[in-house]
Amino acid sequence: MKHLANYINNIDSGLPIKLNAFYKLLSGLTLAHPLKKSDVATTKHKGQSYIVTQINAELMSELRLLVHDYGTSRASAAMHNRSHSVKVNGSFILIRQQLDTPVVVMIDGDGGYCSPIPLSSDALVIENRQNFIDVEQTVQFLEKHTAFKLKQGMNIIFAEGNVISNTLHKKFLSQYQHIHLCMDIDLGGLTIAKNLMSLLPKTVFSFMVPGDIEQRLARVVLRKEKHYIDAVIQLGLSTPALAPYASLIKNTQKTLEQESYLYG
């Protein structure tokens, strides 16, 4: 609605508008008063610009109401069936205390949070839903094949892909001193790690890969396309902490899903 508000301000101030663009914007709105060109009287300014000298009162009233009520909250946007165009005013994260049943941490629109369990100094973040569900198998694999050790009371967090790096989660995640990242060994996993590192510059991160990662990648049949590898290389160059894992993908031209950890 920002563009519509700008048009209304210009019309009120007697300033020129791009008339065709204005008509196109209005044609995309479902209005109670359908737009007719006879509703708008104009004088030519220059080029495609016109000054609106008169506009139908019912139409203008509806446009003003739409801009005023649209707002920036989902509640006001929902009044016009447009709530998906506005960010949710809050969030939630699924979290476990060690291997216990997951609970929900609620996060408000200012990033404040309410956790039903104590927060630990270290946390394990798991990208994949199945690995978070089969958390015991995932932890057993990590303890066997990486340097990770599940500490007493450690929190295990479901990343839900890149959702975890939402800025609303910064205040909550910044309480952890050390975050262990269990991600896919691919562009998506590296991107999530990069976004978290950017969000939490003071936090220590460990990107965990099994010690036999090269053998596991060698067993993967499909190779990635050049444009994919190029994107991985660029990510590695921009984030030195992730460069070794980007190089693995570059050198083998292969990736590995963490769900494979559940099968040996």
Side-chain angles (χ1 to χ4, degrees):
M1 289 300 110
K2 181 179 179 181
H3 291 309
L4 179 56
N6 288 338
Y7 281 122
I8 290 175
N9 288 336
N10 280 14
I11 291 171
D12 288 341
S13 303
L15 298 174
I17 65 170
K18 299 289 187 182
L19 193 60
N20 287 339
F22 179 61
Y23 286 149
K24 184 177 180 180
L25 175 62
L26 266 56
S27 68
L29 302 174
T30 304
L31 300 170
H33 182 97
L35 173 66
K36 296 178 293 195
K37 289 197 176 181
S38 60
D39 289 334
V40 183
T42 64
T43 58
K44 190 173 180 61
H45 179 62
K46 60 180 179 180
Q48 299 298 313
S49 297
Y50 290 78
I51 294 174
V52 175
T53 56
Q54 188 174 348
I55 188 167
N56 180 279
E58 290 183 17
L59 173 61
M60 195 60 165
S61 177
E62 189 173 353
L63 295 179
R64 291 187 196 280
L65 184 63
L66 185 58
V67 169
H68 180 268
D69 284 353
Y70 189 83
T72 56
S73 72
R74 284 177 69 92
S76 58
M79 296 297 293
H80 300 286
N81 298 323
R82 296 175 182 271
S83 63
H84 294 293
S85 65
V86 180
K87 288 184 179 180
V88 175
N89 189 30
S91 184
F92 65 87
I93 293 176
L94 289 179
I95 183 174
R96 298 176 182 270
Q97 186 171 35
Q98 290 186 265
L99 305 180
D100 292 349
T101 301
V103 295
V104 176
V105 174
M106 296 302 302
I107 299 172
D108 63 31
D110 295 320
Y113 62 88
C114 179
S115 175
I117 61 174
L119 301 189
S120 51
S121 60
D122 289 22
L124 168 64
V125 175
I126 297 177
E127 175 187 353
N128 183 280
R129 185 182 300 272
Q130 194 62 56
N131 288 78
F132 185 77
I133 292 171
D134 296 331
V135 66
E136 188 169 356
Q137 287 176 256
T138 300
V139 168
Q140 286 176 355
F141 176 89
L142 293 175
E143 291 189 324
K144 181 177 180 180
H145 294 281
T146 76
F148 175 78
K149 297 297 178 186
L150 184 65
K151 297 180 180 179
Q152 182 68 30
M154 183 184 286
N155 297 157
I156 301 178
I157 299 168
F158 177 42
E160 196 175 355
N162 203 37
V163 171
I164 191 64
S165 61
N166 188 318
T167 54
L168 280 178
H169 302 161
K170 180 175 183 176
K171 195 175 294 184
F172 168 70
L173 293 173
S174 65
Q175 302 305 306
Y176 296 106
Q177 299 172 20
H178 189 166
I179 295 180
H180 307 263
L181 300 174
C182 181
M183 306 279 136
D184 290 337
I185 314 299
D186 65 5
L187 180 58
L190 292 179
T191 299
I192 297 168
K194 175 184 177 180
N195 290 342
L196 282 172
M197 290 174 181
S198 297
L199 184 70
L200 307 165
K202 295 182 180 180
T203 303
V204 176
F205 285 93
S206 296
F207 190 92
M208 294 177 298
V209 299
D212 59 351
I213 182 62
E214 292 184 358
Q215 293 93 316
R216 290 175 182 275
L217 287 169
R219 293 198 292 267
V220 176
V221 175
L222 297 177
R223 294 177 180 270
K224 306 304 290 187
E225 303 86 350
K226 181 180 182 301
H227 68 85
Y228 185 98
I229 299 300
D230 288 344
V232 170
I233 293 171
Q234 289 303 312
L235 189 149
L237 290 173
S238 68
T239 313
L242 298 173
Y245 316 110
S247 293
L248 272 174
I249 298 172
K250 171 182 174 288
N251 294 337
T252 62
Q253 296 187 12
K254 297 177 182 179
T255 60
L256 189 69
E257 295 181 358
Q258 64 179 247
E259 196 167 333
S260 65
Y261 299 166
L262 299 175
Y263 308 104

